[in-house]
Amino acid sequence: MIIPVRCFTCGKVVGDKWEEFNSRVREGEDAGRVLDDLGLTRYCCRRMLLSHVEIIDELMKFYETGKRKPVRPP
Amino acid sequence: MKIKILHKNDVSLRLLIKGTNSAFMNTLRRIVLSEVPSMAIDDIVIIENSSPIRDEFLAHRIGLIPLTTDLDTYNLPEDCTCKSEFGCNLCSVSLALEVEAEDHRITVYSGDFKSENPSIVPVNLKIPITKLAPEQRIRLEAYARLGKGKGHARWQPVSVCAYKYVPTISVNQEVCNSCGDCVKICPKNILIKTGNIIEVRNINDCTLCRDCVKACQKDPKAIAVTWDESSFILNIESTGGLAPERILYAALNLLNDKLNEFLSKSREGN
Ligand code: SF4
Ligand code: SF4
Ligand SMILES: [Zn+2]
Ligand SMILES: [Zn+2]
């Protein structure tokens, strides 16, 4: 759905690296090289970014076209 | 016991430790993983959340954000003098998050938290927490406390704390025909062929996988991978809340306290 905060296996923070990874790979850089640059050396952390699909971006469209989601009473 | 620092930076530490045994190393490792306290968000009051992410999911993500930790000022909630469920300013820090998307989609980051104590803040400021569509809003208050890894993984001060034996690789030049099979298979590029000789470099990176031995066609094998059971390479990678050497000192102090307690309790029992 949205990039996990940490690696499921070792617990290293990977969330803050997603945006840079995504934009650089989209610009055509080699994913392995970007992961090296980001300091993700273990394969558990590397798969977190490599296999991630940011589905929340698709979901957001429903909120943007529809009306506002009712606010929860305080 | 001899200790040499192989590598050190803000978040990771690699030590070569000679003259000890795996019982001690494992004690140290387990104390680092499950007993050294660190700061993490533990309680959260959601006032408003109209984001596409559910409250529980949001709370879980927020809990996993590593916070800078101050072990000298803060007490563990169970040891604090306040004895209060709600905590006091010696055992709890409140952080507020208040973000609203106006006319376009935004991402809420860990850096948007406003902490009541400027020295207890998220380590990484760019962790996405959620995204907000126009007019969506998040308002919440979070309470961070010290805790231990054995309570929940978010309180573990490290992402990695592991050790391995120090490897030794020997090539029997009389049997070896320098075919290079071992050089090709090594995942860490430890072995290199110079002329007819197989040389070893950066031996501390060897993972002891012994693929090189399996790949050698010679019988008896021309290459042998062994290790010294009294020497270790310890690798600590902090999540950023505490410096790796501070984690190690804290672990040693905890071990010391445990042993002292054991000693005094066993004397009492006598
Ligand atoms: S044991 Fe594994 S890592 Fe070490 S030299 Fe042999 S193949 Fe390389
Ligand atoms: S695989 Fe065996 S024989 Fe071939 S170079 Fe390595 S040690 Fe020598
Ligand atoms: Zn990992
Ligand atoms: Zn207190």
Side-chain angles (χ1 to χ4, degrees):
Chain A
M1 172 117 165
I2 184 168
I3 183 72
V5 176
R6 298 199 191 199
C7 170
F8 293 156
T9 306
C10 72
K12 188 182 173 76
V13 173
V14 295
D16 59 341
K17 300 176 179 71
W18 165 253
E19 287 178 359
E20 182 179 344
F21 174 79
N22 193 31
S23 67
R24 284 173 64 179
V25 170
R26 265 163 207 277
E27 279 165 21
E29 269 188 73
D30 177 52
R33 198 125 333 122
V34 181
L35 289 168
D36 289 341
D37 271 5
L38 291 170
L40 298 177
T41 51
R42 290 180 289 280
Y43 60 70
C44 57
C45 310
R46 293 167 83 92
R47 61 89 204 255
M48 294 302 291
L49 296 190
L50 274 176
S51 59
H52 178 64
V53 182
E54 190 91 338
I55 301 174
I56 194 169
D57 286 341
E58 305 304 315
L59 205 64
M60 298 296 286
K61 293 174 189 161
F62 293 96
Y63 295 101
E64 284 164 343
T65 48
K67 52 186 186 310
R68 183 174 169 171
K69 190 183 158 192
V71 172
R72 223 172 57 137
Chain B
M1 194 189 283
K2 273 194 189 136
I3 298 181
K4 192 175 148 211
I5 298 177
L6 296 177
H7 165 85
K8 180 179 173 312
N9 66 15
D10 290 353
V11 290
S12 70
L13 179 65
R14 203 170 153 91
L15 299 176
L16 175 67
I17 305 176
K18 287 190 171 164
T20 179
N21 56 36
S22 54
F24 176 73
M25 294 304 292
N26 202 35
T27 308
L28 203 56
R29 180 186 74 90
R30 293 189 59 145
I31 293 184
V32 167
L33 289 174
S34 60
E35 305 255 359
V36 174
S38 74
M39 206 64 145
I41 288 167
D42 174 36
D43 245 332
I44 178 162
V45 179
I46 296 181
I47 301 156
E48 186 177 343
N49 169 24
S50 49
S51 80
I53 280 185
R54 302 281 161 247
D55 293 359
E56 297 84 349
F57 189 172
L58 195 69
H60 179 245
R61 289 181 68 79
I62 289 172
L64 289 175
I65 297 170
L67 302 177
T68 50
T69 300
D70 178 354
L71 288 182
D72 304 318
T73 316
Y74 287 94
N75 298 326
L76 278 163
E78 58 266 34
D79 300 337
C80 189
T81 46
C82 70
K83 298 270 171 262
S84 153
E85 208 182 308
F86 303 104
C88 65
N89 57 7
L90 285 177
C91 60
S92 153
V93 184
S94 101
L95 296 100
L97 182 67
E98 216 174 328
V99 189
E100 182 173 2
E102 282 161 8
D103 45 11
H104 59 279
R105 185 193 295 191
I106 61 164
T107 305
V108 183
Y109 292 104
S110 50
D112 293 331
F113 269 105
K114 304 239 173 351
S115 172
E116 68 172 355
N117 179 349
S119 64
I120 308 290
V121 289
V123 174
N124 320 69
L125 301 180
K126 274 287 185 188
I127 304 172
I129 297 172
T130 179
K131 294 188 180 180
L132 298 178
E135 293 181 36
Q136 288 187 337
R137 205 170 355 165
I138 274 190
R139 284 199 295 146
L140 58 89
E141 190 156 342
Y143 300 91
R145 294 192 183 106
L146 284 180
K148 294 177 176 180
K150 64 182 175 188
H152 190 281
R154 65 176 178 270
W155 281 305
Q156 224 170 258
V158 292
S159 45
V160 172
C161 179
Y163 62 86
K164 67 172 180 199
Y165 292 129
V166 173
T168 338
I169 297 170
S170 53
V171 179
N172 184 345
Q173 302 295 354
E174 275 159 32
V175 185
C176 175
N177 62 1
S178 61
C179 64
D181 287 354
C182 55
V183 177
K184 261 178 259 149
I185 205 156
C186 177
K188 293 284 181 182
N189 304 318
I190 308 281
L191 305 164
I192 35 168
K193 194 169 139 184
T194 32
N196 281 337
I197 298 194
I198 304 297
E199 281 181 357
V200 177
R201 57 163 184 202
N202 298 337
I203 190 164
N204 289 341
D205 288 345
C206 171
T207 60
L208 295 168
C209 66
R210 287 186 281 170
D211 278 353
C212 48
V213 179
K214 269 180 236 140
C216 184
Q217 308 269 333
K218 289 279 172 182
D219 192 16
K221 303 282 186 189
I223 186 165
V225 177
T226 50
W227 48 84
D228 172 0
E229 295 201 1
S230 66
S231 304
F232 298 85
I233 295 172
L234 175 70
N235 211 5
I236 296 184
E237 186 187 83
S238 162
T239 54
L242 282 168
E245 62 273 19
R246 187 74 174 74
I247 294 172
L248 202 57
Y249 301 149
L252 291 167
N253 281 333
L254 282 163
L255 178 60
N256 204 14
D257 293 348
K258 279 179 195 293
L259 293 175
N260 280 333
E261 190 188 349
F262 186 83
L263 191 65
S264 67
K265 287 279 156 66
S266 61
R267 280 196 182 128
E268 261 169 44
N270 225 319

